[in-house]
């Protein structure tokens, strides 16, 4: 506030202005005894240079009239723009978002004395004229340009001026004359703020019942809380989950086959060049291991996983599924899904070993014990008799059916350890439990 004042030296002679402007330094004047000895070069004959300004805190008292609710907490949300470290500039997309909790600061009143050291009266008048005109009687200042600092604005009030430090009669010493300005500044002492990274509020759940007294429907529908809701996907794009990778597609590029209600693994749409940067860049930035992809299921649950950009292909993100959000397997995993009429042990498959399990897409064997194209030996060296959708296992040197689809209740789950795809038995057929295509409106991003 007072660091750029100047004193004029010299005058005008023979029409030539020979005056020079000298900047007056400002120092904190509360020096220790040891520091003072060093400044005076260990001699009492050394005099401080002038002109000079020094300041020090003269008082610090609690300002009770400005006291407010000490328990108050101010909460604000701040959203940053993405910063490009390469170009050292801010982009137009959204970056990180934070929630900041600020505690009520403590009010204090601080008194500051400013001493102006002068060697003559002319210097004193020059400085008095410059400083006194700024305060009539106060001056507003801003201590910081931090957006979230709610104590940055304050006011400096000039309370009193002591024009000279000399007294009459004067003694034998001839000390440097000092003019003292006394300022009063209301300040705040703030506690550290609590900074939290923001996620996305997706659903609000409360103990609200519908007209029939049913809590579950009221919570799952959310109509009582939010009215009739709409789920909107950016640009109506879709996604397809293929193993542990997710590809984003335009609706016109959605594959017709294989569908989600088949055992055939989903396939990459090779003619689509839609990059994930176009999807994520609309709303923010992808944070590997933190950003999430949520896939809405038919029963209202969601399969959730964190995503990271595929380093080899910008069309895909790596999907690290949270196993707690996927259905739990009710059956031991299978080695593969096969057509028993085409493949068999040592005939397109590995040799039979204990523990091998396969899911059949076609029936094999019959009561007449006629040998099919591929031999599957059951008990007593008879042909294995199994229906489509059954699961068979090799143990004790023969194949047997360990899951009969006929009459089995829906809700059975099994994972193909070869492809990593989980299948669900819906009572009529095996379908993919959560792998496959998700059209617009049934998937969402949490950045």
């Amino acid at each position: 506030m007072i660091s750029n004042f100047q004193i004029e030296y010299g005058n005008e002679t023979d029409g030539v202005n020979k005056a020079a402007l000298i900047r007056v330094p400002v120092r904190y004047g509360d020096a220790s005894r040891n520091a003072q000895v060093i400044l005076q070069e260990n001699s009492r004959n050394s005099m401080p240079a002038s002109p000079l300004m020094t300041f020090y805190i003269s008082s610090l008292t609690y300002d009770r009239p400005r006291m407010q609710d000490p328990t108050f907490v101010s909460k604000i949300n701040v959203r940053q723009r993405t910063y490009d470290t390469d170009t050292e500039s801010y982009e137009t997309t959204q970056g990180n978002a934070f929630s900041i909790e600020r505690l009520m600061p403590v009010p204090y009143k601080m008194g500051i004395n400013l001493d102006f050291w002068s060697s003559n009266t002319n210097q004193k008048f020059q400085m008095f004229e410059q400083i006194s005109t700024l305060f009539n009687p106060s001056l507003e200042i801003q201590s910081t340009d931090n957006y979230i600092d709610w104590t940055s604005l304050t006011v400096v009030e000039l309370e009193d001026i002591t024009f000279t430090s000399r007294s009459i009669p004067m003694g034998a010493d001839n000390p440097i004359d000092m003019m003292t300005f006394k300022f009063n500044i209301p300040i705040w002492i703030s506690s550290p703020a609590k900074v939290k990274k923001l996620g996305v509020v997706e659903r609000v759940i409360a103990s609200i019942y519908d007209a029939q007294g049913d809590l579950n429907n009221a919570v799952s529908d959310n109509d009582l809380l939010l009215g009739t809701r709409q789920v909107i996907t950016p640009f109506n794009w879709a996604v397809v989950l293929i193993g542990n990778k997710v590809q984003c597609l335009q609706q016109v590029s959605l594959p017709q086959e294989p569908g989600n209600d088949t055992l055939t693994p989903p396939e990459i749409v090779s003619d689509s060049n839609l990059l994930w940067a176009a999807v994520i860049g609309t709303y923010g930035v992808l944070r590997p291991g933190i950003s999430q992809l949520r896939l809405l299921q038919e029963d209202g649950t969601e399969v959730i996983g964190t995503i990271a950009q595929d380093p080899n292909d910008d069309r895909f993100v790596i999907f690290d599924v949270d196993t707690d959000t996927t259905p739990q397997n009710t059956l031991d995993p299978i080695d593969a899904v096969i057509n028993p009429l085409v493949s068999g042990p040592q005939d397109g498959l590995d040799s039979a070993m204990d523990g091998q399990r396969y899911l059949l897409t076609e029936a094999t064997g019959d009561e007449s014990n006629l040998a099919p194209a591929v031999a599957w030996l059951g008990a007593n060296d008879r042909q294995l008799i199994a229906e489509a959708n059954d699961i068979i296992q090799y143990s004790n040197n023969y194949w047997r059916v360990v899951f009969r689809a006929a009459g089995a209740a829906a809700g059975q789950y099994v994972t193909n350890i070869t492809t990593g795809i989980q299948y669900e038995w819906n009572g009529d057929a095996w379908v993919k439990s959560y792998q496959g295509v998700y059209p617009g409106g049934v998937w969402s991003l949490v950045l």
Side-chain angles (χ1 to χ4, degrees), residues 370-411:
L370 296 177
V374 178
W376 293 85
L377 296 180
N380 302 322
D381 292 335
R382 294 177 59 86
Q383 288 293 326
L384 171 69
I385 301 176
E387 301 295 332
N389 298 317
D390 286 354
I391 296 178
I392 61 174
Q393 178 175 332
Y394 188 77
S395 60
N396 298 327
N397 297 322
Y398 69 91
W399 293 95
R400 60 189 180 91
V401 177
V402 293
F403 174 79
R404 292 195 178 276

Side-chain angles (χ1 to χ4, degrees), residues 27 68 112 127 220 326 445:
R27 299 174 184 172
Q68 302 181 42
I112 291 183
M127 187 55 61
S220 60
T326 60
L445 280 171

